[in-house]
Amino acid sequence: MNNKENQISVLGLFQKLFHNFNARQMKDATLAFKKHLDDGGKMLVAMGGAMSSAQMGITLAAMIKEGKVHAISCTGANLEESVFRLVAHDSYKDYPDYRYFTKEDDEAILNRGERRVTDTSIPEEEAFRVVEPIILKRWKDAEAKGERYFPHEYFYQILLSDELKGKYEGDPEHCWLLEAAKKNLPIVVPGWEDSTLGNIFAGYCKAGEVKPSVLKNGVEYMMSLYDQYPVLAGETQDGPGLGFFQIGGGISGDFPICVVPSIKYDLKKEVRPWGYFCQISDSTTSYGSYSGATPNEKITWDKLTKHTPMFVIESDATIVVPLMFEAILDRYTLVQK
């Protein structure tokens, strides 16, 4: 056998190894994702959890750059932590033995100015406090000019300016928000207030330093999605429309998927259904646990149809998503021995 015969792509590895259970769901969801794009469809990624802290940008930025992700819904934490990773990457601390920590160990982490997320801690001074004065200036400038922007738009302005360029510790190629800013990717951030900078913003508002009105809110995010969804779904074109790739549960997934029934019932307009659905979560189906609801339940809410390709992968998204994205990107070749 020559070297070429020994080579296999990540997608080829999926097809060779993953035949049953969650592994097959991952393979089938990946193949369907790829087919959706190949057939002219577009994809929205909904991102919950702490995926930016988990360095999801290594693969997500590449997916955006290669035109394989066309819209994002994420929590405020994932939005800001993409930037925190960019400016403070070398100052993050890893704690692989976190399972054995005592309360005193975590108190010591607090006293060092770190905020732990599982085995990773975000440095307050190098991350939060570096970004805070820069974004505060943007908020104040907007107020002075009588302007209002969405939370992600303030980050777009900062990332596309020179304000942070001398402060990079991380690889800009791994900052998914920077890549999204370059493409002016549509983003919705429902519940942005539930984030570190959201809390900081509320504090400045309470202190009278800036008005809440400089931030467009969640209702306005849905209104913008009313306009963006038909364009992304290609209402006047053939093809499979807009797909929905959900990482984790919660508001980042629940909010944008509602745009279809809302356009249909609240705006009373015709709308294309979602063209693909995949959820990756370790929240198992349970009584009233919406994050763990099976996709067919969404049929009853007119979010999906019986024809929608739908997948549930009950596993850790920090493992599954990078593998799926790399299989779709097809940028690595493995050597079999």
Side-chain angles (χ1 to χ4, degrees):
M1 254 186 212
N2 58 39
N3 281 340
K4 192 169 183 180
E5 290 173 325
N6 285 340
Q7 292 176 355
I8 187 171
S9 67
V10 177
L11 186 60
L13 192 70
F14 277 32
Q15 293 168 311
K16 180 177 180 179
L17 297 180
F18 302 142
H19 302 298
N20 302 96
F21 314 140
N22 261 333
R24 178 166 59 192
Q25 277 284 288
M26 180 175 70
K27 177 191 68 177
D28 290 349
T30 303
L31 291 171
F33 190 138
K34 188 175 184 305
K35 183 178 187 303
H36 181 85
L37 296 179
D38 290 344
D39 289 346
K42 294 185 177 180
M43 192 65 68
L44 178 145
V45 170
M47 185 164 47
M51 303 309 290
S52 289
S53 290
Q55 303 186 68
M56 185 56 62
I58 294 172
T59 50
L60 180 55
M63 288 284 284
I64 295 170
K65 186 175 184 178
E66 295 299 320
K68 299 182 187 299
V69 169
H70 307 88
I72 298 279
S73 172
C74 70
T75 59
N78 273 309
L79 187 78
E80 66 189 13
E81 286 172 21
S82 180
V83 180
F84 294 164
R85 266 288 178 186
L86 180 63
V87 301
H89 179 79
D90 295 343
S91 302
Y92 275 64
K93 299 282 178 59
D94 293 329
Y95 292 103
D97 295 330
Y98 72 94
R99 286 185 176 86
Y100 309 106
F101 280 3
T102 63
K103 293 177 182 178
E104 288 73 22
D105 292 329
D106 276 321
E107 185 178 53
I109 290 173
L110 168 67
N111 292 336
R112 288 197 295 271
E114 302 169 27
R115 304 293 180 264
R116 183 167 71 83
V117 181
T118 312
D119 66 352
T120 303
S121 71
I122 306 169
E124 179 172 347
E125 288 301 318
E126 293 85 351
F128 309 156
R129 304 309 169 192
V130 166
V131 176
E132 180 182 346
I134 294 172
I135 200 165
L136 175 60
K137 183 178 183 301
R138 290 280 177 176
W139 294 333
K140 288 186 173 182
D141 287 348
E143 182 177 334
K145 296 175 183 176
E147 297 173 348
R148 305 176 67 240
Y149 299 100
F150 285 117
H152 77 275
E153 290 179 317
Y154 283 106
F155 279 111
Y156 276 10
Q157 293 167 14
I158 291 166
L159 289 167
L160 295 175
S161 72
D162 293 329
E163 293 168 271
L164 287 177
K165 286 186 178 176
K167 304 180 187 298
Y168 290 176
E169 287 187 2
D171 186 342
E173 294 288 323
H174 295 166
C175 180
W176 69 262
L177 190 57
L178 175 58
E179 202 58 54
K182 291 177 184 176
K183 289 185 175 286
N184 195 27
L185 207 73
I187 293 184
V188 295
V189 190
W192 172 78
E193 298 85 354
D194 180 23
S195 65
T196 299
L197 287 173
N199 292 166
I200 288 170
F201 177 74
Y204 281 120
C205 290
K206 181 67 174 175
E209 292 197 40
V210 67
K211 292 180 180 177
S213 58
V214 301
L215 259 298
K216 291 186 177 181
N217 59 38
V219 171
E220 289 168 289
Y221 262 131
M222 182 58 80
M223 291 167 63
S224 73
L225 200 52
Y226 287 151
D227 296 328
Q228 292 166 345
Y229 181 85
V231 176
L232 291 164
E235 290 287 1
T236 60
Q237 303 169 13
D238 294 329
L242 183 62
F244 196 98
F245 186 82
Q246 182 173 344
I247 303 170
I251 195 171
S252 59
D254 298 346
F255 181 87
I257 203 168
C258 292
V259 72
V260 168
S262 189
I263 290 174
K264 184 174 180 179
Y265 296 107
D266 302 323
L267 301 187
K268 302 188 185 309
K269 294 182 178 180
E270 290 189 9
V271 61
R272 294 187 73 176
W274 292 99
Y276 165 98
F277 178 83
C278 176
Q279 179 174 356
I280 302 165
S281 175
D282 56 8
S283 175
T284 54
T285 305
S286 61
Y287 304 106
S289 173
Y290 182 70
S291 295
T294 56
N296 55 293
E297 183 178 296
K298 292 177 172 62
I299 294 173
T300 72
W301 293 86
D302 220 351
K303 297 171 182 175
L304 304 178
T305 76
K306 65 181 182 180
H307 303 294
T308 309
M310 53 184 76
F311 307 88
V312 174
I313 305 168
E314 293 180 315
S315 189
D316 188 332
T318 64
I319 299 169
V320 171
V321 177
L323 285 172
M324 291 182 68
F325 284 177
E326 288 300 342
I328 293 164
L329 287 165
D330 193 27
R331 59 181 180 173
Y332 293 122
T333 301
L334 309 175
V335 177
Q336 302 180 92
K337 292 191 178 181

